[in-house]
Amino acid sequence: MGGKLEETVSILIPIYNEEGNLSLLYDRLDSALKKMGRAYEIIFVDDGSSDGSLDILLDLREKNPNVKIISLSRNFGQTAALSAGIDSSKGDIIIPMDGDLQNDPEDILPLLQKIEEGNDVVSGWRKGRKDPFLTRRLPSIIANRIISWIGGVYLHDYGCTLKAYRRDILKNIKLYGEMHRFIPAYAGAVGAKIIEVPVQHYPRRLGKTKYGLERTIK
Ligand code: UDP
Ligand code: MG
């Protein structure tokens, strides 16, 4: 592989009924990715949206040839959507994020830089997480402790979608259920170098969350 600037980046974004968020998300991404200065692709995985999301995505692809769309036939859930995105991605570095602007595209570059410093997984940590305490943050604190303890990889925030992975790390992992959250634990088991980096977190901008307490239990 050549120098660092020749490495390519795949941004993966699962989309389920996010029509109100997509234009602003794209504008923020576009500006962050210009600053990043590496070749990239943005893979939007439309997870069976029933609103106007897919039409908006098709327009974005007209504007920017680096935009790719995978359109799933029905709603399969976020993990399956990410898995489909990983399978069709080409980048040396893979960065999943949410499509509702709870993550900040400006965090992509710092994560990428940590990969380039020699880490295999750089895990976003929503230090100031903007979700309800009782139904979301508390269950997730407990879940993070349990996953850390079982897997031996101690992270504050397994649940943050925004992470960066070296492609090789994902090669042998098959995703199902809610499993995309556990990738760092699997990666740790095969000797990957993993660090956690604080990232921004915002309240969901528009639309509503598709999840509640049952997911944490799952
Ligand atoms: N999402 C998806 N399929 C689903 C549910 C959600 O692709 O069945 C997407 C959603 O559009 C968003 C991301 O996954 O981009 C995270 O979903 P959400 O914001 O509902 O979860 P939360 O932030 O509340 O954990
Ligand atoms: Mg969200």
Side-chain angles (χ1 to χ4, degrees):
M1 194 169 294
K4 284 173 179 168
L5 291 173
E6 290 157 35
E7 290 197 312
T8 56
V9 178
S10 297
I11 313 290
L12 305 185
I13 312 182
I15 297 294
Y16 180 53
N17 294 344
E18 303 288 1
E19 64 182 359
N21 292 319
L22 287 175
S23 305
L24 186 60
L25 172 67
Y26 176 78
D27 290 345
R28 299 239 170 108
L29 266 170
D30 187 49
S31 116
L33 293 174
K34 276 182 183 132
K35 287 182 225 163
M36 181 178 78
R38 276 89 163 163
Y40 69 89
E41 59 181 1
I42 308 170
I43 304 183
F44 288 106
V45 184
D46 178 49
D47 187 21
S49 295
S50 54
D51 67 355
S53 294
L54 185 58
D55 289 331
I56 299 170
L57 294 178
L58 291 167
D59 285 344
L60 295 177
R61 190 174 63 182
E62 288 290 305
K63 278 211 294 215
N64 181 347
N66 297 320
V67 169
K68 300 190 176 145
I69 302 172
I70 299 173
S71 175
L72 302 181
S73 57
R74 63 168 174 84
N75 180 234
F76 285 90
Q78 195 189 348
T79 299
L82 282 175
S83 178
I86 291 169
D87 288 346
S88 72
S89 69
K90 302 254 185 318
D92 302 305
I93 295 151
I94 296 179
I95 305 184
M97 66 186 289
D98 285 344
D100 57 0
L101 285 160
Q102 288 204 264
N103 298 135
D104 191 338
E106 293 293 328
D107 281 315
I108 291 172
L109 182 56
L111 293 190
L112 177 65
Q113 284 165 337
K114 289 288 171 195
I115 292 274
E116 291 175 345
E117 284 170 18
N119 296 289
D120 300 304
V121 177
V122 181
S123 189
W125 171 14
R126 297 164 293 178
K127 240 177 155 169
R129 185 168 169 192
K130 302 292 188 303
D131 282 318
F133 181 75
L134 220 52
T135 53
R136 301 297 301 273
R137 275 156 48 213
L138 180 64
S140 123
I141 290 170
I142 298 167
N144 281 304
R145 299 249 167 99
I146 297 173
I147 303 167
S148 294
W149 180 68
I150 293 176
V153 175
Y154 289 82
L155 297 183
H156 295 90
D157 195 3
Y158 271 90
C160 181
T161 315
L162 181 58
K163 301 183 195 290
Y165 305 96
R166 269 221 166 271
R167 167 167 222 94
D168 330 342
I169 290 299
L170 297 177
K171 229 169 22 204
N172 297 316
I173 300 179
K174 268 277 149 246
L175 299 180
Y176 56 87
E178 286 293 324
M179 228 182 78
H180 68 272
R181 289 156 204 287
F182 307 146
I183 295 173
Y186 289 91
V190 296
K193 260 183 95 176
I194 303 166
I195 57 159
E196 210 168 28
V197 166
V199 295
Q200 298 291 337
H201 193 246
Y202 305 98
R204 172 176 264 280
R205 202 178 72 93
L206 283 174
K208 55 179 195 293
T209 174
K210 284 86 192 178
Y211 297 106
L213 190 58
E214 64 284 0
R215 178 174 64 184
T216 314
I217 294 163
K218 214 167 138 191

